[in-house]
Amino acid sequence: FLETPLKRYSSGMQLRLAFAVAAHLEPELMLVDEILAVGDVEFQRRCIQRMSRLSKEGRTVVFVSHDLGAITRLCTRAVWTDKGQVRAEGEPTEIVQQYYAAILGQSGQAEFEISHDVGVSHVSLLDGKGDLLRRPIRGEPFVVQARVVATESVPHVDMEIYLGANDGTTVFSELWSDQAALPELLPGPGEYLVRMEVPALLPAGDYVLGIKLESPHVKYFDRTVMGFSVVPRPGDRQQWLTRRRVVQIGHGWSRERADGVASRSDGVLSGTGTDPHDD
């Protein structure tokens, strides 16, 4: 594209060129605004590597982004701005947690206005009986339910449900289209209840839930819909609650004698998706 006029560049190509120029100039101060919003995974990875290297060289990088996970990984200090005013400033993980706590509720449900032909009007957390669940319990699965409204027939609509920890780390991101056996998400106009079960893999802690609804050409809905806490079970050990981990597996432990001599305690140790020591 060296001979291609700049006016024919896409927005992503322009951003790549701008970042390449800035990165090779090695400036003392670099301002980067939503650089990770466009481009493929490889481009984003190279941007993060370059910004990290500039920071280690003693240069100042001001990184503006809604990608809170990238902020906690890259930055040594964070500033939270709201309507042109500084709300908080300090250590990135602490500021991200304050941000989530301020903008998200803990009611287990949220309602939204429909502004397109397709939208999400209501999102809720449900227990195994289908009842509203404000705070899931560690070691127990729960269901994310979204009410999707389509005022007209829109083909090839896909839904993504993603979950993040309160430090911005993405815990999981699942698409309706990940399972080829599922039918079309919205076969026609109407209201649909779309559910996804979250297995018992989440440690106790605070989380944020997001939903994206889009077709190949139109993004209808993309936002963080609620925050919630996974609470400990009665009798949980403190170590289980303070250990840093994204998910808790709780399965797959086994032991046997290396010399082949059997013992009464040999065998497979399985859990319930909570903690390998629960049994």
Side-chain angles (χ1 to χ4, degrees):
F1 298 97
L2 187 61
E3 303 300 329
T4 302
L6 185 62
K7 65 181 181 180
R8 301 191 185 280
Y9 276 30
S10 67
S11 58
M13 293 169 68
Q14 293 178 17
L15 194 57
R16 285 171 178 262
L17 177 60
F19 185 83
V21 172
H24 282 82
L25 287 177
E26 298 186 347
E28 294 298 321
L29 173 62
M30 185 173 183
L31 307 179
V32 184
D33 186 4
E34 289 292 1
I35 190 69
L36 303 182
V38 298
D40 54 24
V41 174
E42 176 63 17
F43 173 65
Q44 296 178 14
R45 183 186 65 82
R46 294 172 66 181
C47 287
I48 291 176
Q49 287 182 343
R50 182 58 175 166
M51 287 187 287
S52 179
R53 196 178 88 183
L54 288 173
S55 178
K56 291 178 181 178
E57 292 175 353
R59 306 178 191 275
T60 300
V61 179
V62 180
F63 177 52
V64 184
S65 179
H66 288 92
D67 187 340
L68 304 185
I71 289 178
T72 57
R73 293 194 305 271
L74 280 174
C75 303
T76 58
R77 191 165 187 82
V79 179
W80 168 20
T81 61
D82 183 20
K83 298 179 180 178
Q85 302 296 318
V86 175
R87 288 281 298 270
E89 179 180 356
E91 196 275 327
T93 300
E94 179 182 340
I95 299 303
V96 168
Q97 292 174 351
Q98 291 182 28
Y99 172 77
Y100 278 143
I103 68 170
L104 302 174
Q106 291 277 342
S107 63
Q109 60 181 335
E111 295 185 357
F112 307 95
E113 295 183 358
I114 306 297
S115 57
H116 296 86
D117 297 331
V118 177
V120 176
S121 63
H122 187 267
V123 180
S124 58
L125 305 181
L126 307 177
D127 61 16
K129 299 179 181 178
D131 297 328
L132 181 65
L133 184 65
R134 292 188 58 188
R135 295 182 177 86
I137 300 174
R138 190 188 77 86
E140 296 184 8
F142 62 93
V143 173
V144 177
Q145 176 177 279
R147 182 182 293 271
V148 180
V149 179
T151 58
E152 62 180 47
S153 181
V154 180
H156 310 303
V157 175
D158 203 359
M159 173 179 279
E160 177 185 357
I161 295 179
Y162 51 95
L163 188 74
N166 64 353
D167 64 353
T169 302
T170 300
V171 179
F172 68 71
S173 173
E174 300 294 324
L175 290 169
W176 173 271
S177 60
D178 286 341
Q179 302 184 61
L182 293 177
E184 184 83 13
L185 179 67
L186 302 178
E191 295 190 9
Y192 302 86
L193 294 177
V194 183
R195 302 182 182 92
M196 189 194 78
E197 180 175 341
V198 179
L201 295 176
L202 299 180
D206 298 325
Y207 298 89
V208 289
L209 179 71
I211 290 181
K212 182 186 296 184
L213 195 65
E214 62 183 353
S215 69
H217 305 290
V218 181
K219 183 179 294 184
Y220 299 103
F221 187 92
D222 183 9
R223 61 180 297 174
T224 302
V225 295
M226 72 173 70
F228 64 91
S229 298
V230 174
V231 298
R233 297 189 306 179
D236 274 354
R237 301 177 187 174
Q238 185 65 21
Q239 179 194 16
W240 299 346
L241 309 181
T242 58
R243 191 187 321 161
R244 291 182 60 85
R245 50 185 175 170
V246 176
V247 295
Q248 52 182 29
I249 303 301
H251 286 286
W253 287 89
S254 64
R255 188 203 65 194
E256 63 182 35
R257 288 279 297 256
D259 56 10
V261 178
S263 66
R264 294 176 57 187
S265 60
D266 284 344
V268 175
L269 309 177
S270 63
T272 58
T274 56
D275 199 283
H277 301 290
D278 284 355
D279 285 352

